[in-house]
Amino acid sequence: MTGTMNARNQRLCVICGPLLMVVFTIAFWFVAGMIPPPPPGTPAKDLVAFYSENATRIRVGLVIAMLGAGLAMPFPVAILLQLRRIKGAESFGYVQLIGGLFNTPLFVLPWFAMAAATYRPFNPVPEVTQALSDLGWLCLVGFGAPAIFQTIAIGLAVF
């Protein structure tokens, strides 16, 4: 019974990875309307207009995405349990686990900045909204290192 429960629990953890992508796509793209991102040269007044006209939908989409980001935690646990079965690869399993667990806060932090841009969209200084938007997008795109190291650790363990 324990082996069956463990296998069932691991399957649930594995399902969380694809489910994360589904929740992210629905929340960030369709609900929040954040895909495609604003071009880098978008004037501050245009960003203020975007965030103010779509404030509610952006907030709802980002909250759903933030809650869904928790699905990023079980997936590397399942990978760790499988990599521990490979003799001599246990350390790579823990490296990928740490990288995988860093993904959750690194997903959520940029969304906080984007959500903050919706709370005062009519700020008398539109550059504040622009800076929050830029910060969110740069962080979201730039925080790839943990995922890269996670993937490298998995590859090294397999080889």
Side-chain angles (χ1 to χ4, degrees):
M1 181 87 155
T2 305
T4 307
M5 290 294 286
N6 191 18
R8 181 182 60 94
N9 292 343
Q10 287 185 48
R11 280 194 291 279
L12 289 173
C13 288
V14 168
I15 289 169
C16 287
L19 188 56
L20 167 67
M21 299 285 66
V22 170
V23 170
F24 170 77
T25 301
I26 291 169
F28 199 65
W29 192 335
F30 296 111
V31 177
M34 300 295 281
I35 302 289
T42 304
K45 64 180 174 77
D46 292 347
L47 277 174
V48 168
F50 171 74
Y51 280 102
S52 62
E53 292 167 7
N54 300 295
T56 302
R57 94 182 259 194
I58 292 171
R59 289 177 194 155
V60 170
L62 291 176
V63 166
I64 294 168
M66 286 180 209
L67 293 172
L71 293 168
M73 291 185 283
F75 189 68
V77 172
I79 296 171
L80 167 69
L81 294 173
Q82 293 304 310
L83 292 182
R84 285 179 44 191
R85 296 172 53 197
I86 301 172
K87 186 174 171 84
E90 296 88 357
S91 60
F92 292 122
Y94 289 104
V95 170
Q96 79 75 35
L97 176 68
I98 292 167
L101 294 178
F102 268 112
N103 286 330
T104 300
L106 293 180
F107 265 134
V108 172
L109 289 174
W111 294 334
F112 279 130
M114 292 176 191
T118 68
Y119 281 101
R120 294 195 191 6
F122 296 113
N123 191 319
V125 183
E127 288 77 16
V128 172
T129 301
Q130 183 181 36
L132 287 168
S133 178
D134 290 350
L135 175 66
W137 280 107
L138 290 172
C139 290
L140 187 63
V141 174
F143 282 148
I148 292 169
F149 281 105
Q150 180 185 15
T151 305
I152 290 171
I154 294 168
L156 291 173
V158 169
F159 287 124

